[in-house]
Amino acid sequence: MTRRRVVVLLVMAGMMLAGCGGNRQSPKILGGNGSESHRVSGLWWLIFGLAAFVYLVVGGFIVLAAVRGRGTPAGRRSRITDHGFIWVGGIIAPLAILMTVAAFTVNTTSALRKPSSRELRINVVGKRWWWAVEYPTLRVTTANEIHVPAGQPLEFRIDSDNVIHSFWVPQLAGKMDAIPGQHNYLRFTATKPGTYRGLCAEYCGTQHAWMEFLVVVQTPGDFGRWATREQTLSNQSPSNEQQARGQVVFESSACAGCHRIRGTQAQADLGPDLTDVGQRTTLGSVRIPNTTGNLAGWIGNSQTLKPGNLMPPQYLSASDLQAVVAYLQSLK
Ligand code: CUA
């Protein structure tokens, strides 16, 4: 290979790796803030340690073979026979290492799958390209921003109604595929309050990269208040004329054909449930912050921000759009 070719290849590899990060900060993979991520990173370090050890031993032998017996014309005879090498290096050592890794892996996986009697159940469904979130025991539905209490075991039931996605919050737990027609379960306990970035970890179409979500880990008290507030949202009515008009526009336009707002005539399931959209911090599966301008822009034409998503542009008059935005922002 010419030197120029090598340089071109290196530059291309660098560009590809840089593309992985983009301007978004990547979540840390090792040593996170969940029971599962903790165990998984422990296992990772064990495997890494063993692999590094094998690498050093094999590398050492290569160096030894190159250096040993230099200067003597016929080289020096090895004290270990070929048979000895094959038995120890080819059978006994790999067997011992692989058995150790297998034992720890089985132990870790079975600990991670163990259900708990006090776990909070959360159903998550991978959509094109966002996440539907339901708390069956609390009778709360939301999307893309999953509130959970710290210290309580969680059980996520993960599904998809289209292609395969993968639910991944690197700092809290390992990946779990969302497969159409199959329930997959992911159990872990988040230990430290905070907001954690989650991503879809299985290529699923044009907006795979923007199929993100947030896990908001709260103290049990804060989570309780959040859940209670969510449960009362369906009894809420608009508090001013503009919001009331927004609700009428929402219910009578295409919006109601796809979205649900509990306690109103909008009862469709195609798009995210918007009952609590005013309290979410982001829009379009963490695509943009949930601000007045962004919300209006998203309703007007979300295709510019997330091409290929299922929401068509909405042609509302300026005052109707303002009313709908005011109404949606009041839903919190
Ligand atoms: Cu969903 Cu990638």
Side-chain angles (χ1 to χ4, degrees):
M1 213 184 291
T2 63
R3 184 179 283 182
R4 218 169 121 217
R5 263 185 163 168
V6 174
V7 171
V8 169
L9 274 176
L10 281 174
V11 169
M12 276 169 64
M15 275 159 65
M16 278 160 82
L17 285 173
C20 292
N23 53 0
R24 289 173 282 165
Q25 205 198 351
S26 299
K28 249 176 31 182
I29 296 177
L30 293 172
N33 294 311
S35 59
E36 180 167 84
S37 62
H38 209 75
R39 278 183 164 272
V40 170
S41 61
L43 184 62
W44 187 90
W45 279 113
L46 174 78
I47 296 174
F48 177 78
L50 286 170
F53 174 72
V54 171
Y55 181 83
L56 287 177
V57 169
V58 173
F61 274 126
I62 292 173
V63 173
L64 196 72
V67 173
R68 202 165 173 271
R70 271 192 158 195
T72 42
R76 236 191 305 160
R77 270 186 69 88
S78 169
R79 266 169 287 161
I80 313 170
T81 61
D82 288 350
H83 272 293
F85 251 120
I86 290 168
W87 273 104
V88 177
I91 298 173
I92 297 170
L95 215 60
I97 290 169
L98 292 178
M99 299 263 278
T100 311
V101 170
F104 276 94
T105 305
V106 169
N107 183 277
T108 307
T109 355
S110 69
L112 296 177
R113 299 283 166 269
K114 214 186 274 165
S116 152
S117 57
R118 47 184 283 273
E119 66 196 3
L120 174 66
R121 281 169 52 206
I122 304 169
N123 298 340
V124 175
V125 183
K127 302 278 190 170
R128 268 177 62 186
W129 288 271
W130 55 280
W131 300 89
V133 181
E134 187 203 353
Y135 301 74
T137 48
L138 302 174
R139 279 173 289 110
V140 168
T141 307
T142 183
N144 303 325
E145 298 188 10
I146 311 173
H147 289 246
V148 298
Q152 185 178 351
L154 308 169
E155 183 201 77
F156 286 89
R157 193 189 80 187
I158 296 162
D159 297 89
S160 166
D161 69 353
N162 46 92
V163 297
I164 298 176
H165 304 273
S166 188
F167 180 90
W168 190 30
V169 203
Q171 286 161 288
L172 299 178
K175 294 173 191 172
M176 183 56 74
D177 278 357
I179 299 172
Q182 175 179 322
H183 298 316
N184 278 350
Y185 292 87
L186 179 68
R187 295 189 176 90
F188 65 89
T189 305
T191 47
K192 202 172 142 207
T195 300
Y196 300 92
R197 201 175 124 210
L199 356 125
C200 177
E202 178 82 43
Y203 182 71
C204 55
T206 39
Q207 290 303 331
H208 158 70
W210 281 115
M211 190 173 167
E212 296 197 1
F213 57 98
L214 298 175
V215 176
V216 184
V217 181
Q218 297 175 293
T219 61
D222 284 348
F223 176 77
R225 277 185 285 280
W226 175 83
T228 310
R229 179 74 196 141
E230 287 279 320
Q231 286 160 346
T232 56
L233 283 176
S234 51
N235 310 324
Q236 219 184 5
S237 47
S239 56
N240 65 41
E241 218 174 288
Q242 194 190 29
Q243 289 172 14
R245 176 152 166 239
Q247 181 173 348
V248 172
V249 173
F250 191 96
E251 288 177 323
S252 56
S253 69
C255 309
C258 294
H259 295 281
R260 180 194 302 273
I261 295 177
R262 290 194 299 279
T264 73
Q265 285 174 30
Q267 292 293 324
D269 276 328
L270 217 59
D273 187 308
L274 297 178
T275 311
D276 66 348
V277 71
Q279 61 95 44
R280 290 183 208 153
T281 58
T282 62
L283 295 171
S285 238
V286 199
R287 177 68 182 88
I288 42 172
N290 188 5
T291 62
T292 308
N294 282 346
L295 183 55
W298 181 267
I299 297 167
N301 189 0
S302 64
Q303 297 299 324
T304 55
L305 289 154
K306 208 164 166 172
N309 88 76
L310 295 181
M311 179 160 153
Q314 299 303 310
Y315 304 104
L316 298 171
S317 72
S319 58
D320 279 356
L321 182 60
Q322 274 171 4
V324 169
V325 168
Y327 169 58
L328 291 177
Q329 286 182 322
S330 74
L331 301 175
K332 58 179 175 187

